[in-house]
Amino acid sequence: MFKFLIKTVLFLAIMTTVVFAQQWPVHIVGSNLTYPSAYVANLDGDNDDDILAIAGSSLIWYENRSNGSVWLRHTIESSVSGLSNGGTIDIFDMDRDEDIDFVVNASANPGLIAWYENRENAAQWIQHVITDTARAPANRNFSYGDIDNDGDVDIVSPEFITGQIHWFENAQGDTIWQGHLVAAMSEVIWTSVADMDGDTDLDMVAGSLPKGDVYWFENQMNGTIWQAYAIGNSDYCYIGHIADLDNDQDKDVITLNGSSNTLILFENSGATWNMTVIASGPSITPGGICDMNGDQHLDIIFGGQNILGWVENTGGPAAGWIQHTIASGFGLNALLFNGFSDYIIYIKHFLTPCSSVRWRLRDVLFRSIGARFPRRGVPPCASRRPCFDPCFRHLRLIPGSASSPRRWSQTENSAPRS
């Protein structure tokens, strides 16, 4: 099951604030790729968004040469051990040198976890091994942060085969790593990092497949002690996201129930978690979380079988949710969100191993999530808080961002990016 979920073909789409727009132009980025997955970031420092991709056992990136109309393919590494079994990526600035690096999980047994250092604006990439003995390292989704509060970035990863969750301490200069066991839960499939209890340190959330247990783990004593708390249960929840969806200054959890084909919100009510079904559809999967319509409420992008859409947050769980369709007929069966730039990443499964990577041009950029760990000179609070946080304003923003949203009418659907 885990291997099947990873081996898919990706399409990319850029989110829009013009939620009632009717036209979404599609552009081919790359073709003849083997089981690709893709992520978006400004890799070469030229102020536009490029695409980082896994294709079979290869790591490649596509350079955006002309506002999305011309793409130049570059190979980072032609054969990464275990990557053909599937993999996931987190993109951020690992070494705090103001460019974009990334961490990859290669989901083999044993499997590789490594980070790739970006040098000379993506002209050179240096692999640094974190561990090469992980047993099927599974889905990572913002699985990094300063766990031990020592000023550098640590890495969190689940092991699907053993059910163990580890955090890897950045022990010396981003090159020496020490593994620490957090907890074990049967067939853990995803992890994410956020401050769940508001005490300014980073905790973890994890989900399992197929059983569907969802837990959060409280970070006590700078990563040396962890306390487990049950959030709830949702069958086949192979990915999860963390955000404050009801504007009550705490973190909620969004996932899916693969048995009932529903999107699930676990609302953080302090001592308890309240489960709400917020959308439904064949193979529905949560993706990007952002304010799609500018009403100061975070909405949820979703993908599914033959559908791409978003769920409108009308004011939190009590106010209700409205399901909207963006596009249909694409044979979608899952959806992921890069979180670094304003792109939806949605996935199409094919019976053959080769297809194309595509993207959809957004009408206007609304917000840029930015790197969770700051660049040099960014206030300390931003380095240790999750992406949906008041300290977000200190991170890199782009024109038309959350601090100064630009609006376009429906007739301006083809407005260029600025």
Side-chain angles (χ1 to χ4, degrees):
M1 173 65 71
F2 173 66
K3 189 173 179 180
F4 168 78
L5 292 172
I6 292 295
K7 290 191 173 180
T8 51
V9 171
L10 289 218
F11 285 69
L12 305 186
I14 305 177
M15 295 184 293
T16 178
T17 55
V18 188
V19 296
F20 302 108
Q22 300 300 311
Q23 298 177 3
W24 294 69
V26 177
H27 305 267
I28 299 293
V29 174
S31 59
N32 297 319
L33 303 176
T34 303
Y35 298 126
S37 58
Y39 305 81
V40 180
N42 178 13
L43 298 175
D44 53 5
D46 62 354
N47 297 316
D48 58 25
D49 286 312
D50 310 298
I51 295 175
L52 172 67
I54 297 172
S57 61
S58 299
L59 288 169
I60 59 178
W61 73 280
Y62 288 92
E63 181 183 354
N64 185 349
R65 297 295 296 269
S66 182
N67 294 321
S69 61
V70 177
W71 297 86
L72 180 62
R73 173 173 168 162
H74 304 271
T75 298
I76 297 173
E77 191 164 353
S78 59
S79 182
V80 178
S81 177
L83 195 60
S84 60
N85 286 47
T88 53
I89 284 175
D90 268 331
I91 297 179
F92 58 98
D93 185 3
M94 169 70 83
D95 50 6
R96 288 83 66 203
D97 63 350
E98 301 186 2
D99 59 22
I100 302 305
D101 313 300
F102 66 91
V103 173
V104 61
N105 279 13
S107 303
N109 181 26
L112 175 73
I113 303 174
W115 76 277
Y116 284 78
E117 179 185 356
N118 183 348
R119 292 189 179 178
E120 300 177 6
N121 294 323
Q124 183 181 16
W125 296 87
I126 306 299
Q127 184 198 76
H128 301 275
V129 174
I130 297 172
T131 180
D132 57 6
T133 60
R135 300 192 64 188
N139 295 336
R140 53 183 313 109
N141 186 29
F142 290 113
S143 288
Y144 59 89
D146 189 3
I147 300 297
D148 52 2
N149 194 23
D150 65 351
D152 55 25
V153 187
D154 308 302
I155 299 299
V156 176
S157 184
E159 285 190 351
F160 182 70
I161 290 179
T162 65
Q164 294 180 345
I165 302 168
H166 293 93
W167 75 276
F168 294 91
E169 178 185 354
N170 189 341
Q172 183 176 325
D174 311 313
T175 58
I176 298 177
W177 300 83
Q178 182 177 353
H180 303 275
L181 178 66
V182 175
M185 55 188 296
S186 177
E187 297 179 314
V188 62
I189 191 66
W190 64 270
T191 54
S192 192
V193 171
D195 181 6
M196 298 300 292
D197 51 5
D199 64 353
T200 73
D201 61 18
L202 292 177
D203 311 299
M204 302 178 198
V205 179
S208 67
L209 180 80
K211 190 177 180 181
D213 290 329
V214 181
Y215 279 81
W216 78 276
F217 301 90
E218 181 186 359
N219 183 354
Q220 301 176 350
M221 301 295 293
N222 294 326
T224 59
I225 300 173
W226 298 86
Q227 178 65 49
Y229 299 92
I231 293 176
N233 181 270
S234 186
D235 293 348
Y236 291 96
C237 60
Y238 60 84
I239 197 67
H241 302 266
I242 302 171
D244 181 9
L245 290 175
D246 49 5
N247 292 329
D248 64 352
Q249 307 305 310
D250 58 25
K251 299 299 185 290
D252 310 301
V253 177
I254 304 91
T255 186
L256 71 149
N257 186 308
S259 294
S260 61
N261 290 314
T262 53
L263 292 187
I264 301 297
L265 167 65
F266 289 107
E267 180 195 357
N268 186 348
S269 298
T272 62
W273 294 82
N274 302 319
M275 187 179 76
T276 303
V277 175
I278 60 175
S280 62
S283 302
I284 194 168
T285 308
I289 299 175
C290 66
D291 184 359
M292 287 285 283
N293 55 355
D295 65 353
Q296 307 304 310
H297 300 297
L298 293 175
D299 309 302
I300 302 170
I301 315 296
F302 67 84
Q305 185 176 342
N306 297 316
I307 193 169
L308 173 69
W310 67 287
V311 187
E312 180 182 354
N313 180 354
T314 61
W321 301 80
I322 301 173
Q323 188 168 333
H324 301 272
T325 298
I326 293 174
S328 60
F330 292 96
L332 309 174
N333 73 346
L335 180 139
L336 299 175
F337 180 55
N338 171 231
F340 189 84
S341 297
D342 286 1
Y343 285 77
I344 302 165
I345 298 178
Y346 63 101
I347 303 171
K348 182 173 182 179
H349 175 68
F350 284 84
L351 296 179
T352 57
C354 296
S355 190
S356 303
V357 173
R358 301 186 180 188
W359 69 300
R360 291 167 169 265
L361 182 59
R362 180 191 175 185
D363 307 305
V364 58
L365 293 175
F366 181 70
R367 68 182 295 179
S368 176
I369 300 301
R372 180 170 301 192
F373 199 87
R375 299 184 173 128
R376 290 171 182 165
V378 176
C381 62
S383 70
R384 303 183 59 246
R385 302 292 183 100
C387 55
F388 298 107
D389 187 274
C391 287
F392 165 77
R393 65 182 179 273
H394 298 300
L395 301 179
R396 181 180 68 90
L397 296 177
I398 52 179
S401 68
S403 63
S404 176
R406 296 178 59 182
R407 303 296 180 86
W408 299 83
S409 68
Q410 185 172 346
T411 59
E412 293 174 306
N413 185 51
S414 297
R417 290 177 51 187
S418 60

